[in-house]
Amino acid sequence: NSFLTRTNTCGELRSAHVGQEVTLYGWIQYQRQGLFLVLRDFQGLTQIIIPQDEAHSHVKKLLSNAPVESVVRVTGIVSPRPPGQENPKMPTGDIEVKAETAEVLNSCKKLPFEIKDFVKKSEALRMQYRYLDLRSFQLQYNLRLRSQMVMRMREYLCNLHGFVDVETPTLFKRTPGGAKEFLVPSREAGKFYSLPQSPQQFKQLLMVGGLDRYFQVARCYRDEGSRPDRQPEFTQIDIEMSFVDQAGIQRLIEGLLQYSWPEERGCITTPFPSMTYEEALADYGTDKPDTRFGMKIVDISDFLRRSDIQFVQNALSYPCGTVKAICIPQGVRYFKNKDLESLKESAKSQFNQEVMEIICRPDGSLKSVLTKFLGEEQQSELIQALNMQVDDVVLLAAGEHKRVCSALGSLRLESADLLEAAGLVLRDPTTFHFLWVVDFPLFLPKEDNPTELESAHHPFTAPHPSDTSLLYSDPTKVRSQHYDLVLNGSEVGGGSIRIHSAEQQHFVLEKVLKEDSEVLSHLLEALEFGAPPHGGIALGLDRLISLIVDAPSIRDVIAFPKSFRGRDLMGNAPDYVTPEELEPYHIQVSWPLAEKEAKQN
């Protein structure tokens, strides 16, 4: 307060201040019958007693008539609240301020919604009036916690470990592969900048430049549709180091998160557990497993191989054929018939995978179309293999390994949603399960053309040292030095050891990915000038903070986010520009006919 004209904030007055004259500034949160009001600022709330005597009638009139959310200055004396009127839920609940003078600095017009966390309002309305939404306690808390964590991260990296904070360019050129990038026109006809989806190339070039340790709170851009955990512009904690291996990066990040972790969220223990990509897929059906609850996928191929079930035998006859299942605890008690049908339909529509259910009756017997193919002894073995209890429901799938695992992994999460909606708590939002996922494949078949390969991470990721020779003979079998950090089933970080050989990088781009390496000629050339071995990682700051505060969307931890469709509803961006404004960029807009007529009308 030494810089300001107020003496105190609305959140700091206590019994020790009784008798002092104070000047407070804030917003009127609540006013009752001209008797008192509650004043709010960034730090908290203070009850203001409106004077009732004739000498202060102008103060009473001013404060009684001021609309809610008006900004006022109040000067008065701190007094203890009358016995029995204390409010233990408010930090300032033992005192009140008896107003002596007041001034309305800015009156508030009729609000589009109440500034209260418990009042439901549409997200579109919240985005349109974001400056009002920011006054809510929850958004204030989220943004302040975010600021504190970033400050602690800077301390850890720069002050304790000698990292250099470097700002890299926002205007650059297209990067091959990966996400779609936003284009920015230049005044040179036909030439465009790209907004980088990450500072990947620059941080590698900084290692070539000998900076040794780089860090940045980096703004990144992707021209993709929004999802609850995606935004067209987002923030990463971006890190790169020279002369480091995978274990070194992992230790650094574990230390960084431990150092910056909010005290009120408890302690996190290190080292974080680790799991290979293949293990994650086999046990959880995803490369970002939520390990807060069980219901792991169980392989029962060997057990059913002896059965006479035709579809099982058909599945197992293929090279990657498998039979797997998940056991849903108390599924009979919590699921309705429509829930089971919905789960089976989900597997069919999303993964083209048939799923069968097996139910454990109260007498311990099994109910399923499969039981007629299984003897009592085999049924008993199945119950044991899946650790089934009374009222459990098992979902079984047979087919190609990856598809079966992916389908059951998705059903595992959908089942958890259904169980929690019915009242069974499986995933405690106050517990934090970190996990490293390692040994990803270096390349994956393209979805639209499986005969061609694309990078599983990005084209600069180095192959696993044990698999380097396979790069040149069978790239589909090469594991990468790529590692992801997963928290409660969400990916919050990803990184890799990079290729530091120009020859190897050229081979990956040209021969494996069939990309034009000319667009990366600057990086390839840099690698020829004594590039050190290096690696790094980027943490998704928005997603990390949203998980820590249990926000339903990353939009709740960003001050001015874009809408689900990537629009700024407050400023109405993106917006049209005139042909005259486009002229220096040698661009003309080709309007679809219907839109052209709408604009003319």
Side-chain angles (χ1 to χ4, degrees), residues 39-324:
L39 197 64
R40 182 193 76 244
D41 68 7
F42 74 96
Q43 203 177 50
L45 307 169
T46 297
Q47 182 166 289
I48 308 293
I49 300 300
I50 300 172
Q52 303 297 310
D53 58 301
E54 190 62 35
H56 293 91
S57 59
H58 62 292
V59 176
K60 178 182 179 181
K61 182 180 178 183
L62 189 142
L63 292 179
S64 300
N65 294 336
V68 168
E69 290 301 313
S70 295
V71 183
V72 299
R73 174 191 58 77
V74 174
T75 298
I77 306 299
V78 182
S79 307
R81 290 199 188 190
Q85 293 185 24
E86 299 90 347
N87 185 350
K89 293 181 180 177
M90 283 174 66
T92 61
D94 289 335
I95 59 92
E96 56 195 17
V97 173
K98 294 184 175 174
E100 299 280 335
T101 64
E103 179 185 0
V104 175
L105 302 172
N106 208 330
S107 185
C108 180
K109 71 175 188 177
K110 183 173 170 55
L111 292 162
F113 54 79
E114 287 187 79
I115 316 291
K116 290 176 182 172
D117 286 303
F118 59 82
V119 173
K120 294 222 180 275
K121 47 249 183 202
S122 75
E123 189 168 54
L125 198 62
R126 289 177 59 201
M127 300 284 243
Q128 186 181 349
Y129 296 96
R130 189 62 168 185
Y131 44 84
L132 294 179
D133 199 32
L134 285 169
R135 294 182 189 176
S136 71
F137 167 79
Q138 190 60 56
L139 277 185
Q140 290 264 329
Y141 173 81
N142 293 352
L143 292 176
R144 291 179 193 284
L145 181 136
R146 177 183 177 128
S147 172
Q148 289 159 10
M149 277 198 74
V150 170
M151 192 65 215
R152 294 281 288 169
M153 286 177 173
R154 284 187 192 279
E155 284 176 16
Y156 182 83
L157 293 168
C158 297
N159 296 356
L160 299 184
H161 293 287
F163 278 77
V164 184
D165 186 349
V166 180
E167 296 169 16
T168 54
T170 300
L171 296 175
F172 194 45
K173 63 189 289 188
R174 186 181 70 84
T175 303
K180 284 185 181 177
E181 296 172 331
F182 287 101
L183 297 177
V184 179
S186 77
R187 290 173 184 262
E188 292 186 60
K191 291 189 175 181
F192 292 80
Y193 296 105
S194 281
L195 301 183
Q197 51 188 291
S198 81
Q200 183 60 46
Q201 293 181 54
F202 290 112
K203 62 181 183 177
Q204 289 191 240
L205 293 167
L206 286 169
M207 297 304 101
V208 177
L211 259 75
D212 195 72
R213 296 180 180 197
Y214 144 90
F215 144 77
Q216 181 183 187
V217 181
R219 297 293 282 163
C220 305
Y221 308 88
R222 286 181 186 163
D223 188 8
E224 296 179 322
S226 280
R227 299 205 300 263
D229 57 350
R230 284 277 173 92
Q231 282 275 292
E233 48 186 342
F234 55 98
T235 306
Q236 289 182 349
I237 302 298
D238 204 45
I239 290 168
E240 197 80 3
M241 297 173 76
S242 295
F243 312 112
V244 70
D245 60 10
Q246 182 171 309
I249 296 281
Q250 290 174 329
R251 283 198 305 272
L252 174 84
I253 294 304
E254 289 167 358
L256 172 72
L257 288 168
Q258 234 179 359
Y259 187 86
S260 60
W261 198 255
E263 280 184 29
E264 62 266 33
R265 289 297 186 265
C267 296
I268 53 174
T269 55
T270 59
F272 301 153
S274 183
M275 183 183 296
T276 67
Y277 168 81
E278 289 297 342
E279 288 169 339
L281 188 66
D283 290 348
Y284 296 95
T286 176
D287 59 5
K288 41 182 186 287
D290 189 341
T291 55
R292 286 175 296 173
F293 69 108
M295 287 168 57
K296 286 164 72 168
I297 298 169
V298 180
D299 191 330
I300 51 175
S301 305
D302 289 341
F303 166 72
L304 288 178
R305 204 179 294 276
R306 309 189 302 272
S307 74
D308 297 324
I309 306 169
Q310 191 58 48
F311 78 91
V312 167
Q313 295 306 324
N314 289 344
L316 294 177
S317 67
Y318 291 102
C320 295
T322 189
V323 186
K324 290 177 178 270

Side-chain angles (χ1 to χ4, degrees), residues 449-485:
N449 186 359
T451 60
E452 293 184 5
L453 296 177
E454 62 184 1
S455 297
H457 187 217
H458 58 54
F460 315 114
T461 301
H464 194 285
S466 308
D467 297 351
T468 304
S469 61
L470 287 170
L471 182 64
Y472 305 96
S473 58
D474 191 353
T476 58
K477 292 183 178 172
V478 180
R479 292 169 298 162
S480 68
Q481 293 189 72
H482 161 201
Y483 33 85
D484 275 355
L485 182 61

Side-chain angles (χ1 to χ4, degrees), residues 344-364:
K344 290 196 285 186
E345 178 54 38
S346 173
K348 180 69 176 169
S349 60
Q350 289 184 57
F351 301 95
N352 194 27
Q353 177 65 56
E354 295 287 350
V355 171
M356 308 187 90
E357 78 266 26
I358 305 171
I359 291 169
C360 189
R361 295 189 180 107
D363 63 0

Side-chain angles (χ1 to χ4, degrees), residues 482-557:
H482 161 201
Y483 33 85
D484 275 355
L485 182 61
V486 176
L487 172 58
N488 293 358
S490 289
E491 181 194 330
V492 292
S496 65
I497 301 302
R498 323 300 185 189
I499 296 171
H500 66 278
S501 155
E503 184 185 354
Q504 191 177 82
Q505 185 66 80
H506 195 280
F507 179 85
V508 166
L509 290 167
E510 292 275 357
K511 303 299 183 187
V512 181
L513 300 175
K514 307 289 192 286
E515 294 277 4
D516 179 9
S517 62
E518 186 58 33
V519 75
L520 290 168
S521 59
H522 56 284
L523 179 63
L524 288 165
E525 187 176 17
L527 296 179
E528 293 176 334
F529 287 101
H534 57 282
I537 193 168
L539 297 179
L541 183 64
D542 310 308
R543 201 175 305 180
L544 177 63
I545 302 295
S546 70
L547 290 168
I548 291 171
V549 300
D550 193 27
S553 161
I554 63 171
R555 291 190 283 277
D556 292 317
V557 299

